[in-house]
Amino acid sequence: MGEFAIGQVVSRFEDPRLLRGGGRYVDDIVLPGMAFGHVLRSPHAHARIRKIDVTAAKAAPGVLAVLTGADWIASGWGDLPVPGGMKRRDGSPNYRPRYPALVKDRVRWVGDYVAFVVAETKHQTADAAELIEVDFEPLPAAVGTAEAAKPGTPLVWDDCKDNICFVQVFGDKTATDAAFAKAAHIVKQHLVINRVTTASMEPRGSIGDYNAADDHYTIYTTLQRAHPYRNELAKNVLKVPEHKVRVVAGDIGGSFGMKSAIYNEVALVLLASKTIGRPVKWMSTRSEAFLSDAQARDNVVDAEMALDKDGIFLGFRVVSTVNAGAFLQSGFQAYTANLGTLAGVYRTPAMYVDSTAVFTHTHPCRPYRGNGRPEAAYVIERMVDVAAAELKMDPAEIRRKNYIAPEAMPFKTSLIFTYDSGEFDKTMELALKLADIAGFESRKKDAHKRGKLRGLGLSNTIERAAAVGLEGAEIRFDRSGTVTMLSGSINQGQGHETVFKQIVADRLGIHPNDIEYIQGDTDKVFFGEGTGGSRSATMSGSAFHNASEKIITKAKAIAAHNLKVDAADVNFAEGIFSSAKTNQTITMKEVAEAAVNPAKLPKNMEPGLNANAVYTAPVENFPNGCHVCELEIDQDTGEVEIVRYSVVDDVGTVLNPLLLKGQIVGGVAQGVGQILMEDIHFDAEGQLVTGSFMDYAMPRARDLSMVEVKCNPVPTKTNPLGVKGAGEAGCVGALPAVANALVDALAEFDVRHIEMPATPEVVWRAMRNGRG
């Protein structure tokens, strides 16, 4: 379909509906007889609950129920899912704390779940919650990541004596130690990757609706993976057969990994609905989101790189401590699997990584856009620049010396991944040209005349996307020849509807206006895995491709029957079936109409033109790219202004350049936010200091320049579309590119490294403490 084909710039089909207020978000849903819920949260990071009295709250106007930890235990339901499968350093299983929806005896973070009030209105729930009397005995708290496992630090769990949840080790320690022993140069750097929160446009929300007549549960909520979510909810929490549970996700205003978990409120609205016999809604406020959403990043790293006299990488070793928070939330462990990104795009022959996950009295942490990849990319790309500075080499030149060559593919790194394709040197050269590297020195001199420092930073990053897994898709032709597409992926703003319609329109020659797109309802979509890890283009895209091929095969047989030729003689292009043996043609729409008429079908063919497909990805793919950031620093104030940002990405086959740019720019914005301003900060007692947008600084349009995005596509052979994931690429590349630009600008002050977030005060102090 020409203008809607794969590779064409197509505006999102979703946007007119959303811009006109037609979105279907959780808070838009109003069910008959619906009540409201409110969570009473802990004001302490660590405390015993000596007594809780809900008498006054239960007697308050409009109150229908007040649930406590005792009620949760009495329900007989299971706790929230807690992952296993990892090991501690001695080989014993990772520590798996219980994760109840409401705590009974002890709170372990500011925001922990103490009670759940249900009433006729939201205001009544909040008023009643203030009447609950809780006698807390405050206890010392473990807050800092670096200190969590040190002797004498307060324990988060009494039977986890060192606060260590698990340890994961990758690479060859012996070979790496040998590489360092023969190195001409060894560079070291301590890196702190700060904690951030997602702050998605739409806060979390849930509506629970229990039907006693059918003993059936329906949950409307914000999530990324509907079918696995239903499985875990039914099996682990509700303890009922999966068919007794329906999960519905409408429009979702951003998630970035944060909304994937089964949160406490999901279980609570379902339990409350079962208790009062009515639907119950809970919606987070922005303030509550800061107290209740899982947070991200928060790790401390010591990295070392070994090089020969010419700047060739010989070895790389990393010791990291990662903060899990107070509870181990499902998906957290995936962070360490992405430490393979530490290998970067380089030939480094020996690598070793030792990563320890620790508990603290803070919010649970979980995957957030990139899920370990931005952190790992930050470490390797900062270390490359640190090495370049120490060896007095150009940052681009030291990268050229160490790139994996295209002809070396497939290339198994010294850590985890095996890259299938990529042209890293070419991508960097294209990015440097796009950034006008030749004119940088002139621009730097001009900036100096204006009292500004100008810096240039680049990053050449690679990440794993679409990890081994599967995904479902279904195409159904209606009797009139129009189409319904059902997707197992869940859209949170990426433009799935547009891209998947493009694939089907391109393959089947159907106009997108004749296609209805459905997602996020386990009672409608036959099978799905969901969205996350930059998997949707690969997994759902390939599933729709395969379903389309099944449709074409059957449609050719129907067309041949009606054209009175053999199926082998039928050609199909642009939605039209034809044959050189006849001057007749038949459209896909006409074939679909014929498919429900037994008189127009070949003998013994089942009527209907429908197909579903489950695509299985045997291996992951590896999107990569080069980011070049140019920025200025005001020497009087430390204020940073990004003045130019250039990206050349290899995401394989580009399905829609407009949507691709949107994904890259959005990811860059999140990376810039973390490097320059975003920061979740706790005081020594575990109190959240940055609990609102008054204190937690979000990036705005004025904090970014225009972002130029170009592509150097090297299609992968790992999937039928040749695509590589794009959803997290911008964030992966931005953290190190901006950090490297900052250090470059501050080089005349002898600044070797600057920690994130590089706020104006931090930058100003770095200049004052430097020797420039």
Side-chain angles (χ1 to χ4, degrees):
M1 288 296 290
E3 62 184 304
F4 300 107
I6 288 174
Q8 296 298 307
V9 173
V10 178
S11 297
R12 298 198 322 177
F13 300 124
E14 304 96 313
D15 287 349
R17 173 176 62 83
L18 296 174
L19 291 171
R20 292 168 184 159
R24 297 182 294 272
Y25 298 92
V26 169
D27 204 29
D28 295 317
I29 299 171
V30 178
L31 300 180
M34 189 170 71
F36 296 85
H38 178 92
V39 179
L40 178 67
R41 301 186 181 279
S42 168
H44 302 284
H46 191 200
R48 287 191 183 90
I49 298 176
R50 289 189 260 205
K51 183 181 178 182
I52 180 168
D53 187 348
V54 299
T55 306
K58 285 185 174 181
V63 171
L64 302 169
V66 179
L67 304 177
T68 66
D71 297 305
W72 175 255
I73 293 171
S75 74
W77 286 5
D79 293 332
L80 306 183
V82 176
M86 294 77 70
K87 302 288 186 183
R88 287 168 50 89
R89 198 171 296 280
D90 61 4
S92 60
N94 68 282
Y95 184 81
R96 299 179 67 196
R98 290 190 58 192
Y99 200 167
L102 290 171
V103 298
K104 184 175 183 291
D105 302 316
R106 196 187 301 193
V107 292
R108 289 180 168 84
W109 50 289
V110 174
D112 207 350
Y113 296 72
V114 177
F116 191 65
V117 181
V118 184
E120 296 286 356
T121 70
K122 287 195 293 186
H123 295 303
Q124 288 174 334
T125 64
D127 290 344
E130 292 185 0
L131 300 176
I132 298 175
E133 296 182 10
V134 185
D135 181 7
F136 289 107
E137 178 190 349
L139 299 169
V143 180
T145 305
E147 297 76 33
K150 291 182 178 178
T153 300
L155 297 180
V156 179
W157 300 95
D158 292 344
D159 52 346
C160 183
K161 299 301 182 183
D162 51 12
N163 284 334
I164 292 177
C165 178
F166 63 83
V167 176
Q168 290 203 298
V169 173
F170 303 99
D172 187 328
K173 186 177 188 302
T174 301
T176 305
D177 290 345
F180 274 80
K182 67 180 182 180
H185 304 280
I186 295 175
V187 294
K188 302 179 181 181
Q189 186 62 53
H190 180 73
L191 304 135
V192 178
I193 300 165
N194 67 322
R195 181 181 285 222
V196 294
T197 192
T198 300
S200 56
M201 186 176 293
E202 176 207 24
R204 290 188 300 110
S206 301
I207 301 173
D209 187 9
Y210 174 70
N211 185 325
D214 298 331
D215 188 28
H216 189 277
Y217 300 84
T218 300
I219 183 74
Y220 303 85
T221 191
T222 50
L223 48 71
Q224 292 184 209
R225 299 174 181 253
H227 288 81
Y229 196 99
R230 179 179 68 172
N231 175 264
E232 285 197 322
L233 182 61
K235 180 180 177 181
N236 297 326
V237 181
L238 305 178
K239 298 184 178 180
V240 298
E242 197 168 336
H243 68 265
K244 293 282 188 180
V245 180
R246 180 188 181 194
V247 173
V248 182
D251 291 314
I252 297 174
S255 174
F256 312 107
M258 182 271 290
K259 293 175 180 173
S260 290
I262 297 176
Y263 279 87
N264 309 54
E265 293 90 354
V266 169
L268 292 174
V269 294
L270 288 170
L271 179 58
S273 177
K274 188 172 186 178
T275 300
I276 70 170
R278 294 165 56 181
V280 176
K281 175 192 279 190
W282 169 85
M283 277 302 303
S284 174
T285 64
R286 183 62 63 190
S287 295
E288 192 172 14
F290 275 99
L291 290 175
S292 64
D293 290 352
Q295 296 169 351
R297 311 290 193 225
D298 198 349
N299 48 86
V300 177
V301 176
D302 286 291
E304 297 178 274
M305 178 177 280
L307 306 92
D308 71 8
K309 61 182 179 60
D310 298 316
I312 301 299
F313 303 162
L314 301 177
F316 192 55
R317 58 190 176 200
V318 170
V319 176
S320 71
T321 304
V322 188
N323 200 330
F327 291 89
L328 187 59
Q329 200 174 76
S330 62
F332 170 79
Q333 76 283 9
Y335 162 85
T336 52
N338 287 320
L339 289 177
T341 300
L342 282 165
V345 294
Y346 310 111
R347 302 184 306 270
T348 315
M351 301 186 73
Y352 180 72
V353 181
D354 186 311
S355 181
T356 301
V358 296
F359 292 112
T360 59
H361 290 106
T362 62
H363 298 53
C365 285
R366 65 167 297 98
Y368 170 63
R369 198 169 195 169
N371 184 23
R373 305 173 187 91
E375 299 94 312
Y378 173 77
V379 172
I380 178 61
E381 289 298 293
R382 277 297 299 125
M383 289 302 294
V384 172
D385 264 36
V386 169
E390 189 155 318
L391 275 62
K392 295 180 171 54
M393 292 181 66
D394 178 74
E397 182 57 31
I398 197 171
R399 286 172 169 85
R400 287 189 193 98
K401 282 176 171 280
N402 290 282
Y403 281 140
I404 302 163
E407 56 269 22
M409 301 294 180
F411 185 89
K412 173 68 176 74
T413 73
S414 300
L415 282 180
I416 303 169
F417 302 146
T418 299
Y419 305 150
D420 66 283
S421 60
E423 298 174 346
F424 310 134
D425 194 1
K426 180 181 177 181
T427 295
M428 184 180 72
E429 296 305 322
L430 290 170
L432 293 175
K433 183 177 180 181
L434 183 65
D436 185 24
I437 188 74
F440 173 70
E441 286 302 323
S442 174
R443 297 191 294 274
K444 183 174 183 178
K445 290 177 182 177
D446 178 67
H448 225 279
K449 293 175 183 177
R450 294 181 281 108
K452 304 290 181 84
L453 304 174
R454 200 166 181 117
L456 186 95
L458 65 92
S459 67
N460 249 124
T461 51
I462 190 165
E463 56 160 328
R464 176 177 71 168
V468 176
L470 39 82
E471 189 55 85
E474 183 177 1
I475 300 173
R476 292 203 304 247
F477 276 85
D478 308 317
R479 287 177 175 269
S480 61
T482 57
V483 174
T484 301
M485 295 171 54
L486 298 103
S487 173
S489 291
I490 306 293
N491 180 38
Q492 308 114 46
Q494 299 94 327
H496 289 175
E497 178 178 343
T498 303
V499 169
F500 298 153
K501 279 185 177 180
Q502 279 185 261
I503 293 171
V504 173
D506 184 65
R507 293 292 185 261
L508 301 184
I510 300 294
H511 195 283
N513 289 346
D514 287 332
I515 302 175
E516 174 73 11
Y517 180 78
I518 293 175
Q519 63 149 34
D521 188 334
T522 56
D523 275 11
K524 294 181 179 179
V525 179
F526 83 103
F527 179 86
E529 186 67 18
T531 298
S534 302
R535 75 191 304 272
S536 294
T538 298
M539 309 297 284
S540 284
S542 296
F544 277 117
H545 166 84
N546 290 352
S548 297
E549 292 300 308
K550 291 180 180 181
I551 292 283
I552 291 170
T553 299
K554 184 173 183 179
K556 273 189 175 182
I558 298 172
H561 179 75
N562 285 273
L563 294 173
K564 297 180 172 52
V565 297
D566 291 335
D569 296 324
V570 174
N571 298 313
F572 178 68
E574 296 294 324
I576 298 174
F577 296 91
S578 62
S579 172
K581 293 185 176 182
T582 177
N583 61 356
Q584 293 180 305
T585 61
I586 183 171
T587 66
M588 176 63 82
K589 200 167 187 177
E590 290 170 332
V591 168
E593 292 171 349
V596 294
N597 185 348
K600 293 185 176 182
L601 292 177
K603 187 177 181 180
N604 297 325
M605 178 177 281
E606 183 178 302
L609 192 56
N610 309 309
N612 56 49
V614 176
Y615 174 74
T616 302
V619 294
E620 56 267 278
N621 56 65
F622 294 93
N624 57 88
C626 183
H627 291 221
V628 184
C629 174
E630 193 168 329
L631 53 75
E632 287 186 350
I633 298 173
D634 188 308
Q635 294 191 61
D636 293 329
T637 65
E639 184 177 0
V640 177
E641 179 186 2
I642 294 175
V643 295
R644 188 168 188 156
Y645 203 102
S646 309
V647 180
V648 175
D649 255 311
D650 168 19
V651 295
T653 302
V654 177
L655 299 176
N656 184 322
L658 182 65
L659 286 151
L660 171 62
K661 183 172 182 179
Q663 287 293 292
I664 299 300
V665 172
V668 168
Q670 285 178 287
V672 168
Q674 178 162 5
I675 288 291
L676 296 184
M677 59 198 74
E678 293 186 59
D679 188 40
I680 286 290
H681 182 71
F682 301 95
D683 67 14
E685 284 73 43
Q687 289 293 329
L688 179 62
V689 177
T690 51
S692 76
F693 287 151
M694 293 291 289
D695 308 294
Y696 186 90
M698 290 286 287
R700 303 182 181 185
R702 70 185 184 193
D703 298 310
L704 287 163
S705 65
M706 293 298 292
V707 180
E708 292 186 88
V709 180
K710 301 292 183 183
C711 292
N712 177 32
V714 183
T716 178
K717 296 180 181 178
T718 61
N719 63 74
L721 295 175
V723 298
K724 302 173 183 177
E728 293 155 306
C731 197
V732 173
L735 264 71
V738 180
N740 287 341
L742 284 167
V743 174
D744 182 60
L746 294 167
E748 63 185 78
F749 287 89
D750 201 29
V751 174
R752 186 172 183 263
H753 179 69
I754 190 165
E755 296 290 5
M756 62 179 83
T759 62
E761 180 188 355
V762 170
V763 175
W764 184 87
R765 292 189 182 281
M767 290 187 287
R768 294 303 175 273
N769 295 333
R771 296 198 309 232

